[in-house]
Amino acid sequence: MRWLAVLAEFVVAAVLAAAAVWCWRNGIHTTWFKPSGDVPGFSATRYSGPWLAGAAALVIIAGLVGIDLVARALQPTRRAQVREEH
C-alpha cells in the first residue's frame, strides 16, 4: 500500500512539474517587429506576472511532494537500520 502512495506522489510531482513548464511558457511572450523606414526591426518580450507566479508556486509544490516521496520511499530502510542497531 505504501508503494502505491509513492507511485501516486511520483505521478503528481511529474504532473505539477509539467504544469509549471506550461505556465512558464504562457508567461513569456516575444513579439517581433519588422523594420519600417528608418526604424530597425526589434523584438519585445512581455512577462505576465500571474503566469510566472503560478509556475513558481507549482514548482514549490512539486518540490515538496518530491521530498515527501523520497521520505516515504526510504522510510522502511531507516526503520530496518534502527532495528539492527538495537
Side-chain angles (χ1 to χ4, degrees):
M1 185 68 166
R2 184 187 72 256
W3 289 107
L4 184 62
V6 169
L7 179 64
E9 284 186 346
F10 181 77
V11 170
V12 168
V15 168
L16 288 170
V21 170
W22 179 73
C23 284
W24 187 265
R25 288 187 178 193
N26 281 324
I28 301 173
H29 298 283
T30 302
T31 305
W32 301 93
F33 295 95
K34 292 191 268 183
S36 177
D38 292 340
V39 178
F42 66 96
S43 66
T45 303
R46 183 177 65 92
Y47 299 96
S48 177
W51 283 107
L52 298 179
L58 288 169
V59 165
I60 291 169
I61 295 169
L64 291 173
V65 170
I67 290 169
D68 188 55
L69 168 93
V70 171
R72 282 183 196 264
L74 297 179
Q75 186 176 10
T77 304
R78 289 188 308 202
R79 284 186 183 169
Q81 289 174 352
V82 170
R83 288 182 194 148
E84 290 174 2
E85 291 176 359
H86 291 283

